[in-house]
C-alpha cells in the first residue's frame, strides 16, 4: 500500500483565512481517517515582498490552536525538506534547466507592453488572448543582445497547442480542458529567478511524493497547467480533490464585508477551538447523519473524501454561535473564566493580576451567564451588572418598570428582608420573593421586574437568585438605596 502523503501549503502573506483553515482541516482529517500516511506543511513563500516570518509563525500557531497536527514541515524535519519554498530555489532551477535542455522552455524578453499588444492580436485571431510565442524562436545572437541590454528574461514553458487535458477530480468529476485556453506559453520562472506558483507547486508536490492534493476549487483552473508540467517533467500526477468554496449567507464568495474572515479573529473573540474544528469540518463535508455536534474523534472516524459536497458551503454565523454556545456549556466554568480574563481586562473590569479570591468570585459570576453565551468575548457585557456601582435604567422599557406606584414599597420591603439575611444565597432570595408575594400581594412580573431593573438597569438578564448571590448583600443594598434616592 502506498503511503498517503497530503499537504497543506499556505502562503505566509497574511493571517490565515477560514477557507484556508478548512482546507488544512480536510487534509488533516483525510490523513487521520485513513489511519496511515503523513501530513506535510509546506510554506509557499516565493512572493518575497509579501511573505513574512511573522505570518509564518502565526499560521503555525493557528493550526496548533485548532488542533491540527502535521508530520513534516519547517519545524518538523523529514526526508523531503526543506519545507520552505524560498529554500528550494536550486531544486526549481534544476528542473527549469531540464525543461530548457529538452526544448520545453525558453527565455522570454518581451516587455509587458509588447505582451499586451500581442494578446490583442491573438485575441482577434483565435478568440482568446494569449502570449504570442514571440520569443520562442530567438536566435542565440538575439538572446545575447537582449542580455547585453540588461533585460532580465522570464522563463516560459511551452504549452502544447490544441491538446485536450483530461483529469478526474474526486469532487468535481471528469474535467476536460483544451490547452489553447490556457493563455499560451506560461511563465515558470520570473525575471528575478523566483518560480511561479504553478511551477513550484508541481516540482514540490512531485519531489515530496504527495499522493493527494486537497485544496480549494479556486485552484481548479490551475490544475490543467500543472498537469502539463507533470507530463513534461515525467512526474506521476497525484489525485486531485478540489473542495467547494465557502460563501456568505448572500451566496457571494466569503469576504470582508461578511464580517470576520480570519481564524484568529474568532480565536480572539473567544470561540473555542473544538467548536471551530467541528464547525469548519461541516463546511462542505457531511457525515451523513443528523447529529451536528461531533467530537474530533467522531469526525476523524467518519471522515471520507466521498462526503465532500459538490455544492458550495455557506458560512452561517448563527450556526457557529449556536455550536460554540454548546461547547461553552460543556466546558468547565474555570476554563471559561480563564478565557474571559483578557476580555475583562480590555473592558477595564480587571486590572493586572487577579487574586485567587477574586478569581473564585469571578467564576461564580461567570457561572451565572455561561450557559447563555455565544462566545467568551460577550462576557464583559453580560457581567457588567456585577461590576457597575451605580445602576440606572438603560432604556424606556426599564424606566417604565420603575414608574409604577407600588415600586418604592416593593423595593423598601425587599431591602429590609435582604438586610436581615446573614447569608444571601440564591435560595434565600427565592424565599424572600415568596414572602414579598404574601405580604404585599404582588407577584410575578410586577414583583420581579422592579427589583431586576433596580439591581441591573435592565429588563432581561440571568436568574435573579444566582445573580444576587454573586453581587452580594453589601453591593445589592447600595444599588437599591441608589435607586430609591436617585432614580425614583
Ligand atoms: N500557496 C497556495 C495557496 O495558498 C497553495 C495552493 C495549493 O494548495 O496548491 O493558495
Amino acid at each position: 500500500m502506498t503511503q498517503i502523503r497530503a499537504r497543506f501549503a499556505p502562503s505566509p502573506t497574511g493571517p490565515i483565512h477560514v477557507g484556508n483553515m478548512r482546507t488544512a482541516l480536510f487534509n488533516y482529517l483525510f490523513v487521520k481517517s485513513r489511519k496511515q500516511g503523513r501530513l506535510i506543511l509546506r510554506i509557499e513563500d516565493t512572493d518575497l515582498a509579501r511573505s513574512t516570518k511573522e505570518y509564518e509563525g502565526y499560521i503555525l500557531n493557528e493550526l496548533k490552536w485548532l488542533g491540527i497536527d502535521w508530520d513534516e514541515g519547517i519545524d518538523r524535519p523529514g526526508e523531503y525538506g526543506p519545507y520552505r519554498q524560498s529554500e528550494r530555489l536550486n531544486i526549481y532551477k534544476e528542473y527549469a534547466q531540464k525543461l530548457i535542455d529538452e526544448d520545453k522552455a525558453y527565455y522570454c524578453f518581451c516587455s509587458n507592453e509588447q505582451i499586451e499588444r500581442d494578446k490583442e492580436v491573438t485575441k482577434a485571431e483565435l478568440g482568446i488572448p494569449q502570449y504570442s510565442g514571440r520569443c520562442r524562436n530567438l536566435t542565440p545572437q538575439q538572446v545575447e543582445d537582449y542580455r547585453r541590454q540588461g533585460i532580465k528574461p522570464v522563463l516560459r514553458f511551452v504549452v502544447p497547442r490544441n491538446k485536450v487535458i483530461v483529469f478526474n477530480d474526486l469532487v468535481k468529476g471528469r474535467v476536460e480542458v483544451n490547452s489553447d485556453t490556457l493563455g499560451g506559453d506560461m511563465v515558470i520562472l520570473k525575471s528575478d529567478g523566483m518560480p511561479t506558483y504553478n511551477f513550484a507547486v508541481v516540482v514540490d508536490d512531485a519531489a515530496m511524493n504527495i499522493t493527494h492534493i486537497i485544496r480549494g476549487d479556486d485552484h481548479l483552473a490551475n490544475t490543467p497547467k500543472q498537469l502539463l508540467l507533470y507530463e513534461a517533467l515525467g512526474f506521476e500526477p497525484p489525485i486531485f480533490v478540489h473542495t467547494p468554496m465557502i460563501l456568505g449567507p448572500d451566496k457571494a464568495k466569503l469576504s470582508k464585508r461578511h464580517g470576520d474572515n480570519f481564524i484568529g479573529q474568532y480565536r480572539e473573540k473567544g470561540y473555542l477551538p473544538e467548536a471551530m474544528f467541528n464547525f469548519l469540518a461541516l463546511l462542505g463535508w457531511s457525515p451523513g447523519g443528523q447529529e451536528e455536534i461531533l467530537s474530533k474523534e467522531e469526525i476523524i472516524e467518519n471522515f471520507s473524501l466521498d462526503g465532500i459536497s459538490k455544492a458550495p458551503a455557506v458560512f452561517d454565523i448563527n450556526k457557529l454561535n449556536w455550536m460554540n454556545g454548546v461547547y461553552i456549556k460543556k466546558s468547565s466554568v474555570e476554563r471559561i473564566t480563564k478565557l474571559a480574563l483578557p476580555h475583562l481586562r480590555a473592558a477595564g473590569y480587571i486590572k493586572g493580576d487577579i487574586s485567587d479570591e477574586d478569581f473564585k468570585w469571578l467564576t461564580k459570576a461567570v457561572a451565572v451567564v455561561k450557559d447563555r453565551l455565544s462566545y467568551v468575548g460577550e462576557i464583559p457585557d453580560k457581567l457588567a451588572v456585577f461590576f457597575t456601582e451605580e445602576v440606572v435604567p438603560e432604556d424606556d422599557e426599564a424606566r417604565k418598570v420603575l414608574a409604577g406606584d407600588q415600586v418604592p414599597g416593593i423595593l423598601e420591603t425587599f431591602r429590609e428582608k435582604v438586610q436581615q439575611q446573614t447569608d444571601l444565597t440564591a435560595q434565600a432570595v427565592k424565599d424572600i420573593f415568596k414572602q414579598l408575594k404574601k405580604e404585599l400581594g404582588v407577584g410575578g412580573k410586577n414583583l420581579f421586574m422592579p427589583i431586576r431593573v433596580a439591581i441591573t438597569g435592565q429588563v432581561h438578564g440571568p436568574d435573579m437568585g444566582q445573580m444576587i448571590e454573586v453581587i452580594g448583600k453589601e453591593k445589592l443594598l447600595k444599588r437599591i438605596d441608589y435607586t430609591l434616592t436617585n432614580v425614583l
Side-chain angles (χ1 to χ4, degrees), residues 4 6 8 21-36 38-39 66-69 214 276-287 294-305 308:
I4 285 171
F8 175 54
M21 196 53 130
R22 201 262 322 242
T23 299
L25 181 58
F26 280 9
N27 275 286
Y28 170 81
L29 292 173
F30 171 59
V31 171
K32 292 289 162 199
S33 67
R34 297 289 285 261
K35 298 196 173 62
Q36 63 109 332
R38 291 167 81 77
L39 178 61
L66 195 80
I68 293 180
D69 208 7
I214 304 168
M276 221 55 212
F277 190 104
N278 188 162
F279 178 73
L280 289 178
L282 297 182
L283 274 185
W285 170 76
S286 159
L294 299 164
S295 68
K296 185 174 185 173
E297 292 67 33
E298 287 169 323
I299 293 170
I300 290 173
E301 187 64 30
N302 287 298
F303 189 82
S304 91
L305 296 175
I308 296 179

Side-chain angles (χ1 to χ4, degrees), residues 465-480:
Q466 285 182 328
M467 182 175 68
I468 288 171
E469 181 175 327
V470 177
I471 291 175
K473 183 171 163 181
E474 199 188 328
K475 258 195 194 164
L476 187 74
L477 292 175
K478 266 196 203 157
R479 287 191 192 178
I480 294 175

Side-chain angles (χ1 to χ4, degrees), residues 7 9-11 44 197 201 215 219:
R7 88 312 191 257
S11 304
E44 304 213 322
Y197 157 69
V201 84
R215 62 184 173 197
H219 286 293

Side-chain angles (χ1 to χ4, degrees), residues 209-429:
N209 267 341
I210 301 301
T211 56
H212 294 73
I213 294 188
I214 304 168
R215 62 184 173 197
D217 67 6
D218 47 334
H219 286 293
L220 190 65
N222 285 319
T223 310
K225 295 181 190 172
Q226 294 173 11
L227 282 167
L228 289 176
L229 285 165
Y230 273 98
E231 192 179 353
L233 290 165
F235 296 145
E236 180 78 24
I239 292 167
F240 289 99
V241 185
H242 284 97
T243 58
M245 287 278 95
I246 301 178
L247 306 180
D250 57 355
K251 305 279 151 64
K253 195 178 158 198
L254 196 64
S255 75
K256 247 198 220 144
R257 95 198 136 74
H258 293 109
D260 294 336
N261 268 308
F262 298 118
I263 204 78
Q265 292 173 308
Y266 289 95
R267 178 177 44 71
E268 280 165 14
K269 277 198 172 167
Y271 287 84
L272 302 181
E274 63 270 36
M276 221 55 212
F277 190 104
N278 188 162
F279 178 73
L280 289 178
L282 297 182
L283 274 185
W285 170 76
S286 159
Q290 291 296 309
E291 187 52 52
E292 300 214 273
I293 301 292
L294 299 164
S295 68
K296 185 174 185 173
E297 292 67 33
E298 287 169 323
I299 293 170
I300 290 173
E301 187 64 30
N302 287 298
F303 189 82
S304 91
L305 296 175
D306 305 335
I308 296 179
S309 87
K310 289 193 194 318
V314 174
F315 191 100
D316 178 355
I317 185 71
N318 295 324
K319 179 170 169 185
L320 173 59
N321 283 340
W322 161 75
M323 196 173 264
N324 200 52
V326 172
Y327 280 94
I328 289 179
K329 249 190 200 172
K330 286 190 189 189
S331 301
S332 74
V333 64
E334 283 75 20
R335 178 187 182 202
I336 302 304
T337 309
K338 273 190 200 136
L339 289 173
L341 290 176
H343 299 277
L344 291 164
R345 284 199 184 97
Y349 290 146
I350 295 178
K351 303 211 168 29
D353 290 338
I354 181 167
S355 67
D356 288 352
E357 200 186 325
D358 285 350
F359 185 80
K360 233 170 129 192
W361 174 81
L362 191 60
T363 51
K364 281 195 191 153
V366 170
V368 176
V369 300
K370 176 175 162 278
D371 289 358
R372 304 191 316 148
L373 293 171
S374 295
Y375 52 94
V376 180
E378 290 177 327
I379 284 187
D381 250 11
K382 299 256 197 259
L383 290 194
V385 297
F386 297 107
F387 290 97
T388 339
E389 290 294 326
E390 294 168 353
V391 173
V392 288
E394 68 165 10
D395 54 19
D396 280 347
E397 199 184 351
R399 268 186 288 275
K400 226 164 132 192
V401 168
L402 291 188
D405 292 346
Q406 292 171 306
V407 172
I410 293 172
L411 292 183
E412 267 154 25
T413 323
F414 179 64
R415 189 192 188 290
E416 262 166 46
K417 307 242 177 253
V418 168
Q419 181 78 61
Q420 288 158 12
Q421 292 294 323
T422 41
D423 194 8
L424 192 63
T425 59
Q427 187 53 49
V429 173

Side-chain angles (χ1 to χ4, degrees), residues 105-172:
Y106 60 90
Y107 286 108
C108 165
F109 296 85
C110 289
S111 66
N112 285 338
E113 295 74 30
Q114 182 68 61
I115 292 170
E116 287 312 313
R117 277 199 300 275
D118 286 354
K119 272 190 184 166
E120 289 300 315
V121 177
T122 53
K123 192 177 169 189
E125 283 172 359
L126 303 169
I128 312 165
Q130 14 186 294
Y131 175 67
S132 63
R134 180 178 288 275
C135 287
R136 195 159 171 174
N137 298 312
L138 293 180
T139 62
Q141 185 57 47
Q142 284 171 307
V143 170
E144 196 46 43
D145 286 349
Y146 280 129
R147 286 203 188 270
R148 219 174 297 127
Q149 289 169 40
I151 301 175
K152 290 225 180 322
V154 298
L155 188 67
R156 282 188 189 270
F157 167 69
V158 179
V159 171
R161 296 288 171 263
N162 195 23
K163 181 180 165 88
V164 179
I165 305 153
V166 182
F167 66 99
N168 239 321
D169 187 277
L170 241 52
V171 176
K172 307 281 167 184

